[in-house]
Amino acid sequence: RSREDRPRSARAEADLVPGQARRSGEQRERRDASVSRSSGPAKPKLRSPGSYVLPVFAQHDRSNHAERQALIKVIARVQDACGAKTDEEFEAECAEVTGTVRLYASHTPCISCMACFCQFQRLFPKVKLCVDFDDWRDTRRMVEMARREEEYKKKKARPPNYDCPGLSDMSDEEELESDDEEAAQPGEPAAAAAAAP
């Protein structure tokens, strides 16, 4: 397979809190009353969530990369939850949303995905975006291990033990001193040295 055809996966978890830009309770009651009087709840026409995180076309189409798709789902959920009627209302609400979005990708993000991260942060300036990813070697190794284990299960054989005896789990390693501790004078606690002018 070419690099572009390899399966990619990403997962995003979002713990978000709506901002203070929400309508007051009185305004919300008026809006709810007007919706109930109409023939049915007419959903406002807002910009597509994907239009907030545009991909970069570099050698091939990158619009379906998993990292971008995960961010689009987060934006869509905020769009559904905030009840904004216009793009301006939605963007004002986004500017006040706080919380954390944790995104994990099974591979190193490309330049297009990095651009999407920046666009997401611009839309949600008070949200902390944490991105973690595996190196392609790690991903390939894990996929191969899973494939081999499946083969052993089909053959009803016991899979090999991938543990490496003899490797250190680092429990016997000494803890490194921090820079603050090195700056301390002998016989003087590190906190006192840091407080000294």
Side-chain angles (χ1 to χ4, degrees):
R1 287 184 179 189
S2 69
R3 185 169 185 198
E4 295 81 42
D5 295 336
R6 284 193 205 127
R8 298 170 179 270
S9 65
R11 175 188 162 131
E13 294 179 357
D15 297 322
L16 301 176
V17 178
Q20 300 302 319
R22 281 192 190 221
R23 297 168 189 82
S24 69
E26 178 184 313
Q27 289 172 325
R28 193 176 301 119
E29 285 172 14
R30 268 190 269 144
R31 180 185 57 118
D32 293 343
S34 67
V35 167
S36 63
R37 276 186 252 134
S38 66
S39 60
K43 194 168 185 172
K45 181 73 174 155
L46 297 174
R47 263 174 75 179
S48 161
S51 68
Y52 289 102
V53 285
L54 299 174
V56 173
F57 187 91
Q59 299 169 342
H60 64 277
D61 182 20
R62 297 166 186 256
S63 61
N64 287 326
H65 281 198
E67 298 92 322
R68 178 175 180 264
Q69 295 302 316
L71 293 177
I72 288 172
K73 286 188 179 195
V74 172
I75 295 169
R77 286 186 180 171
V78 172
Q79 241 180 10
D80 290 343
C82 79
K85 292 185 177 185
T86 65
D87 292 330
E88 292 77 21
E89 280 183 32
F90 173 66
E91 290 167 15
E93 181 67 27
C94 290
E96 297 301 319
V97 171
T98 59
T100 303
V101 173
R102 289 173 295 283
L103 189 141
Y104 165 79
S106 63
H107 58 282
T108 307
C110 69
I111 190 68
S112 180
C113 295
M114 297 294 288
C116 289
F117 299 156
C118 294
Q119 293 170 66
F120 183 86
Q121 279 294 188
R122 183 171 184 229
L123 182 62
F124 296 101
K126 295 181 180 179
V127 170
K128 182 178 181 181
L129 176 62
C130 302
V131 178
D132 192 13
F133 56 90
D134 281 331
D135 179 278
W136 66 269
R137 292 174 201 94
D138 294 333
T139 303
R140 181 177 282 173
R141 187 182 73 242
M142 287 186 287
V143 168
E144 182 61 22
M145 286 172 49
R147 186 190 65 76
R148 287 181 183 175
E149 286 182 18
E150 283 300 314
E151 283 181 10
Y152 280 101
K153 285 180 185 177
K154 287 178 185 176
K155 295 177 184 176
K156 296 186 180 184
R158 186 170 173 231
N161 182 359
Y162 293 110
D163 292 336
C164 299
L167 290 181
S168 173
D169 63 357
M170 299 189 67
S171 61
D172 60 341
E173 299 289 326
E174 291 181 22
E175 207 169 301
L176 295 175
E177 294 180 5
S178 71
D179 293 338
D180 294 338
E181 292 173 2
E182 290 175 12
Q185 300 296 328
E188 184 179 328

